[in-house]
Amino acid sequence: MPVKFTFRLYALTLDTVRRVAPYVQDIARHDPDLARQLRRSSTSIHLNCAEAMDAHGRNRHARFRTSLGSTNEVIATLEVADALGYLTLDAATLDKLQHVRATLLNLVR
């Protein structure tokens, strides 16, 4: 995988963490457990991508797969919080998460 691509993915996932952070605070006012879960899964996206950058073979694939699972969890958590009326999910944030998801899906296939 080209270095330039991994740095773009790194920046994309870090931006995702920044976009999700305010939602953690919104959710915490209503459901602290759900907020903790969102914080852990959002940071897991970025941290596992960072680990994958220097990993090889199955370890690299596993880190990207874990990051994908965390991305799915973040999307689901935000959608549940929106459905429960804890927040109004911003379309741009959801779009950014779907971009991360699509990128990771391509990497793990």
Side-chain angles (χ1 to χ4, degrees), residues 32-101:
D33 289 334
L34 189 62
R36 278 190 292 275
Q37 187 170 356
L38 178 60
R39 184 175 14 312
R40 282 192 310 272
S41 58
S42 66
T43 56
S44 175
I45 296 169
H46 184 66
L47 296 175
N48 278 287
C49 279
E51 279 189 62
M53 288 174 67
D54 290 322
H56 298 282
R58 287 186 216 164
N59 286 335
R60 183 181 189 98
H61 187 267
R63 296 295 75 77
F64 283 135
R65 170 104 8 230
T66 301
S67 185
L68 175 60
S70 295
T71 303
N72 291 335
E73 185 175 355
V74 168
I75 292 168
T77 302
L78 290 173
E79 290 175 339
V80 164
D82 185 63
L84 292 171
Y86 298 166
L87 54 83
T88 301
L89 185 54
D90 174 82
T93 299
L94 187 55
D95 185 58
K96 180 72 77 168
L97 284 161
Q98 292 294 354
H99 182 178
V100 170
R101 183 176 187 278

